[in-house]
Amino acid sequence: MADKSDVTLPLSISAGIHIGVIIILALGIDFSHKPEPMQQVSAPAVKAVMVDQQKVANQVEKLKQEKRDAERREQERQAELERKAQEAKQAREREQAQIKKLEQERKQQEIETQKANEAAKLAQVKQQQEKEKAVKAEADRKLKEQERKVAEDAAQKAAEKRKVEEAAAAKAETDRKQKEAEAKAKADKAKADAEAKAKAEAKAKADAKAKADAEAKARAQQEQEMADALAAEQAALSQTMNKQMQSEVSKYQAMIKSTIQRNLVVDESMRGKTCTVSVRLANDGFVISSQTKGGDPNVCRAAKAAILKAGKLPVSPDPAVYNLMKEINLIVEPTF
């Protein structure tokens, strides 16, 4: 207020002097015969005008400087807004790139899942073929068992026949006295034939038993091989499922970190600093609780605020995957 009055008073005086001069000139007053009074009046007036004009010039220069300072501050503010807009644009581009990468990983995961399903189908087909082979082997075994029984029946009939022949030999013995030489020769021949036949039958039985034992051993080995193959296929399928679940967990962890980064308010003091955060999630993604486990205090406060702002975080609809990620530890690192 003091500065304004200092400027206003000299301006008022100067304006009054100028108006007075104009009125005098307009009235045509002649002061040629009174030079000394004019000098006494005009000299202080001129000096006052010069002083007032200097103050006015100083005030004008001050106002111009203030305007230049305001314009400079406005330019700096505009530059800061443009810088923040550029940073936001770059953040959006990074987020879009991350989303694109996650989409590619999802498609790759679908391809791997399809391959695993096809492998499982092939395993089922192979298992069915092995089962059919086992059924055929069992049928062959039953057929051979029937053949063995037929051979035993034939041996039994041969034994009965031998008994008949022995009876005939006994009858011939009663007639030996009459035809001793002929009967003895016939009996010896019949006995030799019977022994040879018995040996042949015994050998046939032994061969049949050895063959049956070999077939049983081969069948047991085949069943063991089928069981081993099935166990290997089950292990491979389990490994594939575990790999898929870990891939799903990694994908949703990346999505959660991306969501936190979008809501993270950062400043220059956070550059290069991190914070470890433990988050508990409901099965719909609702944040039950979040705790900081260590790191920069500013980053930790910003991370907790970002999680609170998000409210919900991405989780897998698969219960098995959710169980692996319902309690997760994340490293939050501000990006610039």
Side-chain angles (χ1 to χ4, degrees), residues 13-176:
I13 296 170
S14 177
I17 293 171
H18 283 82
I19 293 170
V21 172
I22 293 170
I23 293 172
I24 292 170
L25 292 174
L27 294 175
I29 299 173
D30 186 6
F31 294 95
S32 59
H33 298 288
K34 297 177 182 180
E36 291 181 2
M38 281 296 295
Q39 289 177 358
Q40 291 176 358
V41 174
S42 62
V46 171
K47 184 177 180 181
V49 171
M50 291 178 65
V51 173
D52 293 343
Q53 288 178 347
Q54 183 62 38
K55 289 185 178 181
V56 171
N58 292 338
Q59 185 66 19
V60 170
E61 183 61 26
K62 181 179 179 181
L63 293 174
K64 288 181 179 180
Q65 184 62 37
E66 291 177 352
K67 182 178 180 182
R68 286 193 296 269
D69 292 341
E71 290 175 350
R72 177 180 56 78
R73 288 193 296 271
E74 179 63 20
Q75 290 174 355
E76 291 175 352
R77 189 182 70 82
Q78 292 294 332
E80 179 66 14
L81 290 176
E82 290 177 359
R83 183 184 68 79
K84 290 184 177 180
Q86 184 64 24
E87 290 178 352
K89 179 181 178 183
Q90 292 175 353
R92 288 195 299 274
E93 291 176 350
R94 287 194 296 271
E95 182 180 352
Q96 291 173 357
Q98 180 68 16
I99 292 172
K100 184 177 180 182
K101 180 181 178 182
L102 292 174
E103 180 64 19
Q104 291 175 349
E105 291 177 353
R106 183 187 66 77
K107 291 181 178 179
Q108 182 63 31
Q109 187 63 39
E110 290 179 353
I111 294 173
E112 292 179 359
T113 302
Q114 184 177 2
K115 288 181 179 178
N117 292 336
E118 291 175 355
K121 289 181 181 178
L122 290 175
Q124 291 177 354
V125 171
K126 184 177 179 181
Q127 184 179 2
Q128 183 64 28
Q129 291 175 348
E130 295 295 338
K131 184 177 180 181
E132 292 174 355
K133 288 181 181 179
V135 172
K136 185 176 182 300
E138 180 64 17
D140 292 341
R141 185 191 66 78
K142 290 182 179 179
L143 179 61
K144 290 177 180 178
E145 182 69 18
Q146 291 177 355
E147 292 176 351
R148 184 182 64 78
K149 289 182 179 179
V150 170
E152 289 177 352
D153 292 342
Q156 185 177 1
K157 289 180 180 179
E160 292 174 354
K161 184 178 180 182
R162 187 181 73 248
K163 290 179 181 179
V164 172
E165 290 175 349
E166 289 175 352
K171 185 178 181 297
E173 182 64 20
T174 60
D175 297 336
R176 181 178 58 81

Side-chain angles (χ1 to χ4, degrees), residues 4 37 75 157 178 191 200 213 217 257 276 307 327:
K4 186 175 180 182
Q75 290 174 355
K157 289 180 180 179
Q178 296 179 357
K191 185 178 179 181
D213 292 341
K217 184 177 180 181
K257 291 185 72 174
T276 301
I307 294 170
E327 292 186 8

